Amino acid sequence: MCEINISTKGGGNCHADVTCSDEKKRDYDNWDNCAYQAVNNFTDEAIGPFSIVFTKKDHDCDDGLCAPSLALADVGDYYALDVQALSNDAQKRANKATLCKVGCSPSDPFTNPDSKNICESTNGWGDSTKRGYKCGMPKIGQNYGPGKLDSQGPTNDRGYAPGSCGVHVTQYQKKDPAADPKTNEDGDYHLDVRIFDNNQDLIGEVKGARALAGQAVNEDSKLPWVLLVTAQSVDSDPVLFAYSDQHWAYADVAHNCNFGKFSGGDRDGDCGFQC
């Protein structure tokens, strides 16, 4: 997830910056036109092309500029977000959460603890001409927020978005560990495998595939190479993966793997890989 900060002072001095997790802040101070209703376009390496327009001024703001509209090229093809309205909702949620007592409805979006703020005001005290806002924004291909701001990066001629792909695996325990897998598939593990592209869209899936010990399940997808997923002999053995020249096991930190323990007859896990 990334955060974009937008500010203006005295009807000018427009500024924006973008910070993503584990990345340095990138400042955007070169605005084409820091003025009411002027469209200013930028391109960021993480969130892609975006635009900002201040939609109100002067008496509608007490003074200066306010009510920015923020749009990302990869989120709904420049779908415009009303930053002021979203910030107002966030303030209502904060006020109501402070005053809320036992009788508050959990379905109320302003008191539901699962609700997330897309945008918030960062205005300080004592200067009516200064306006500040911060918004959570997804990286290209990711999503964020209660409405799931879904960033869709471009796809290639194979129909998938290249970059960082993901694989989700469900490994089912052997129904009969004592059975001879040569004659009875109850002596083998079974796998569900789902592959997602850089847009987090499903691009390949297999369900209930028999996984003989040490023999890879070949998962076809829109990718140019086949993803290989291999179960081994006993529950404590790691699941192994291979794609193109990449090889890793289910606890590989470099591939951001996260696998749980067996519970109720199966275990789930996720890994990432370059695609």
Side-chain angles (χ1 to χ4, degrees):
M1 194 273 284
C2 300
E3 181 178 283
I4 180 168
N5 288 278
I6 303 169
S7 64
T8 178
K9 183 177 180 180
N13 299 294
C14 295
H15 169 84
D17 61 69
V18 177
T19 307
C20 305
S21 54
D22 302 324
E23 295 179 9
K24 292 183 178 180
K25 181 176 73 171
R26 295 176 291 278
D27 293 299
Y28 297 94
D29 291 313
N30 296 321
W31 293 54
D32 294 330
N33 192 0
C34 176
Y36 169 65
Q37 293 289 22
V39 179
N40 291 271
N41 296 296
F42 310 93
T43 299
D44 183 78
E45 62 189 50
I47 66 175
F50 66 97
S51 67
I52 300 171
V53 181
F54 285 100
T55 64
K56 294 182 180 181
K57 67 173 183 176
D58 298 337
H59 63 276
D60 289 328
C61 307
D62 291 333
D63 196 3
L65 300 170
C66 68
S69 173
L70 171 64
L72 274 65
D74 294 326
V75 176
D77 190 18
Y78 282 106
Y79 174 77
L81 296 172
D82 186 335
V83 174
Q84 186 69 62
L86 292 169
S87 298
N88 292 343
D89 284 350
Q91 188 59 54
K92 290 177 184 177
R93 185 177 294 115
N95 292 344
K96 216 166 185 185
T98 300
L99 299 173
C100 183
K101 302 207 173 164
V102 177
C104 289
S105 169
S107 63
D108 187 335
F110 293 131
T111 58
N112 185 343
D114 293 329
S115 296
K116 292 182 179 179
N117 299 328
I118 295 177
C119 298
E120 297 178 359
S121 171
T122 58
N123 291 343
W125 294 96
D127 189 344
S128 64
T129 70
K130 186 175 181 180
R131 297 286 180 274
Y133 310 86
K134 65 178 180 180
C135 299
M137 287 290 121
K139 284 187 174 183
I140 297 171
Q142 308 299 303
N143 55 58
Y144 170 77
K148 290 297 183 187
L149 296 178
D150 189 3
S151 177
Q152 290 287 306
T155 58
N156 59 20
D157 56 2
R158 296 186 64 92
Y160 79 95
S164 296
C165 286
V167 55
H168 179 84
V169 174
T170 301
Q171 182 183 15
Y172 298 96
Q173 285 179 303
K174 300 174 182 180
K175 293 182 178 179
D176 183 2
D180 184 354
K182 294 180 180 179
T183 58
N184 186 349
E185 68 174 80
D186 286 349
D188 283 316
Y189 293 107
H190 288 74
L191 300 176
D192 293 345
V193 181
R194 306 177 75 199
I195 302 175
F196 300 88
D197 68 1
N198 194 66
N199 282 337
Q200 298 183 335
D201 291 333
L202 183 67
I203 57 171
E205 181 177 25
V206 62
K207 293 184 177 180
R210 185 179 181 183
L212 283 72
Q215 295 188 30
V217 172
N218 301 335
E219 171 56 7
D220 288 324
S221 66
K222 294 181 180 180
L223 299 174
W225 289 281
V226 175
L227 176 68
L228 305 178
V229 184
T230 306
Q232 300 189 78
S233 300
V234 297
D235 287 0
S236 59
D237 285 337
V239 177
L240 305 177
F241 298 87
Y243 178 75
S244 182
D245 60 351
Q246 303 170 66
H247 302 266
W248 71 97
Y250 74 161
D252 193 315
V253 175
H255 284 83
N256 298 310
C257 292
N258 181 17
F259 265 74
K261 296 180 179 180
F262 279 106
S263 177
D266 62 63
R267 65 178 173 184
D268 288 272
D270 298 277
C271 291
F273 61 99
Q274 293 303 301
C275 60

